[in-house]
């Protein structure tokens, strides 16, 4: 039995979390949940966006599943997501993107995985503002160690999963030093994993153009924090949007899997939410825990449900409620 910290989140978070819990129960997945919340709901209940019992649970279980959380804007609060990533050194943000039969997109044959460095760069929060001069400085700090870790993680993943091509996205023509660190780290990782037979690099603006022109040419992509943030959403758009893609924040000692879309408070409680993104993230979690057979069984039921629009939620072209979509998946287990 695997002990997992469950973070329902805000808005539609509790609804899609319930969907995952119900599907796991029906599939008899050996997971026991410890539920602790974060975000606006947690702030209202406990006075903290990230209550201490949540930290205690994560440090005990070492694995979490997180619904979408809301950080109040303009009130001095640091992002819940960034706080968790930096506190526990969850330096890998891993975002697969695949075309799926039944989900209408403009492209076919996409099957790529993006590795985004998750703790450094512009998201390190190193900012200064000179009110007298009207100048704001945001420092994008990257380290040799941070570059090495994310590049090695991307190549190790490619080698483990039989993927032969890794692409580094950078801006080394302008950001000379930061670009050099990432390029050197990628070359070192390529030498360590010769079974990954093809390594190349692309300047970030060209990378964006190539992704929207011929995305099927890419396999594993690795890049820095800001570029990865942008590319991961771009890749999601290629395969159906944020509502159907999974995400994981992985470190050496902990992993938190999450829905990467927002909390959608405008439809909260209306039974319209699509739980696919959180469910797919939960399937990544099962693979991380070594429960590949359970993950494959649920994924097969999910993919079969996509093929029947009558069983799908509105964003997938159907009219089913969250509960009806969930039950349709359970019926196919």
């Amino acid at each position: 039995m695997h002990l997992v910290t469950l973070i329902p989140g805000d808005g539609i978070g509790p609804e899609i979390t319930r969907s995952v819990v119900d599907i796991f129960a029906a599939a008899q997945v050996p997971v026991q949940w410890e539920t602790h919340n974060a975000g606006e709901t947690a702030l209202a209940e406990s006075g903290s966006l990230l209550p201490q019992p949540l930290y205690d649970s994560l440090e005990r279980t070492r694995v979490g599943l997180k619904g979408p959380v809301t950080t109040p804007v303009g009130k001095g609060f640091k992002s819940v997501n960034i706080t968790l990533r930096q506190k526990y050194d969850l330096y890998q943000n891993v975002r697969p993107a695949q075309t799926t039969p039944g989900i209408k997109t403009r492209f076919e044959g996409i099957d790529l995985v993006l590795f985004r460095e998750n703790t450094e760069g512009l998201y390190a929060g190193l900012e200064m503002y000179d009110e007298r001069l009207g100048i704001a400085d945001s420092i994008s700090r990257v380290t040799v160690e941070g570059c090495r870790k994310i590049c090695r993680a991307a190549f190790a993943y490619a080698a483990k999963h039989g993927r032969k091509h890794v692409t580094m996205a950078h801006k080394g023509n302008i950001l000379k030093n930061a670009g050099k660190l990432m390029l050197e780290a990628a070359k070192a990782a390529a030498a360590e994993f010769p079974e990954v037979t093809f390594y190349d690099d692309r300047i970030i603006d060209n990378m964006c153009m190539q992704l929207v022109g011929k995305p099927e040419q890419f396999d594993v992509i690795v890049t820095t924090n800001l570029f990865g943030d942008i590319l991961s959403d771009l890749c999601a758009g290629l395969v159906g949007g944020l509502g159907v893609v999974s995400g994981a924040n992985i470190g050496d000692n902990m992993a938190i899997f999450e829905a990467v879309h927002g909390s959608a408070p405008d439809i909260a409680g209306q039974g319209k939410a699509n739980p696919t993104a959180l469910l797919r993230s939960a399937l990544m979690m099962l693979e991380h825990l070594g429960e590949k057979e359970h993950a494959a069984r649920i994924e097969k039921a999910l993919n079969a449900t996509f093929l029947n629009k009558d069983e799908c939620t509105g964003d997938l072209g159907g009219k089913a409620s969250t509960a009806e979509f969930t039950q349709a998946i359970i019926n196919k287990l």
Side-chain angles (χ1 to χ4, degrees):
M1 184 66 67
H2 304 281
L3 194 60
V4 174
T5 301
L6 182 66
I7 308 170
D10 303 305
I12 62 172
E15 297 170 69
I16 60 176
T17 299
R18 171 50 55 188
S19 174
V20 172
V21 169
D22 289 346
I23 291 168
F24 272 37
Q28 298 182 324
V29 177
V31 165
Q32 181 178 337
W33 308 102
E34 280 194 7
T35 303
H36 298 276
N37 218 347
E40 280 190 336
T41 301
L43 180 64
E45 293 175 349
S46 68
S48 174
L49 285 176
L50 287 161
Q52 187 59 44
L54 170 59
Y55 287 132
D56 295 340
S57 178
L58 285 170
E59 289 164 16
R60 182 168 52 254
T61 67
R62 296 290 168 181
V63 62
L65 179 66
K66 183 174 73 63
V69 300
T70 302
T71 301
V73 177
K75 298 182 180 180
F77 292 106
K78 186 176 180 179
S79 164
V80 168
N81 292 337
I82 292 177
T83 300
L84 289 172
R85 293 166 185 172
Q86 293 181 344
K87 179 177 177 63
Y88 295 116
D89 193 23
L90 306 176
Y91 60 92
Q92 305 173 46
N93 186 268
V94 185
R95 296 271 293 271
Q98 298 176 313
T99 47
T100 306
I103 298 178
K104 185 178 179 180
T105 67
R106 296 174 182 268
F107 299 94
E108 296 179 356
I110 300 173
D111 181 10
L112 61 85
V113 182
L114 188 137
F115 277 74
R116 163 194 173 192
E117 200 293 316
N118 217 16
T119 61
E120 299 186 339
L122 281 169
Y123 290 66
L126 302 174
E127 292 192 301
M128 297 168 287
Y129 177 56
D130 189 322
E131 188 172 357
R132 182 178 64 86
L133 297 177
I135 297 174
D137 291 306
S138 298
I139 300 173
S140 178
R141 176 172 292 173
V142 299
T143 65
V144 170
E145 182 65 14
C147 294
R148 287 175 177 170
K149 286 166 67 175
I150 191 62
C151 289
R152 190 182 188 283
F155 276 87
Y157 177 94
K160 180 179 179 181
H161 292 86
R163 292 176 178 262
K164 301 300 183 183
H165 180 192
V166 175
T167 302
M168 157 67 67
H170 64 94
K171 193 63 177 175
N173 58 327
I174 303 298
L175 305 174
K176 303 291 186 181
N177 291 317
K180 178 182 178 182
L181 290 186
M182 284 294 283
L183 287 165
E184 288 180 346
K187 289 178 182 177
E192 184 180 352
F193 295 94
E195 58 267 55
V196 181
T197 54
F198 184 31
Y199 160 67
D200 64 345
D201 66 270
R202 303 287 179 97
I203 294 174
I204 186 64
D205 37 343
N206 177 51
M207 185 76 192
C208 291
M209 182 185 72
Q210 294 290 334
L211 274 168
V212 299
K214 195 177 179 183
E216 64 275 9
Q217 69 183 293
F218 297 105
D219 193 357
V220 175
I221 301 168
V222 60
T223 189
T224 53
N225 206 333
L226 178 61
F227 295 159
D229 193 6
I230 295 167
L231 288 182
S232 58
D233 277 22
L234 188 158
C235 291
L238 299 175
V239 298
L242 293 176
V244 298
V245 294
S246 55
N249 304 288
I250 301 173
D252 293 334
N253 299 303
M254 185 183 293
I256 299 176
F257 300 82
E258 64 182 357
V260 296
H261 55 70
S263 58
D266 55 318
I267 62 169
Q270 298 178 33
K272 297 180 179 179
N274 175 9
T276 297
L278 188 62
L279 179 57
R280 280 182 158 174
S281 300
L283 299 185
M284 286 183 71
M285 181 189 76
L286 288 183
E287 293 187 5
H288 174 78
L289 293 171
E291 299 289 350
K292 294 183 178 181
E293 291 184 6
H294 283 290
R297 182 173 169 230
I298 295 172
E299 183 178 31
K300 182 178 179 181
L302 173 64
N303 289 342
T305 304
F306 289 145
L307 298 175
N308 186 350
K309 290 302 176 188
D310 290 339
E311 297 177 333
C312 293
T313 51
D315 59 312
L316 295 172
K319 296 182 179 180
S321 66
T322 307
E324 290 168 340
F325 180 67
T326 301
Q327 190 59 51
I329 297 169
I330 289 173
N331 292 342
K332 295 177 180 62
L333 288 171

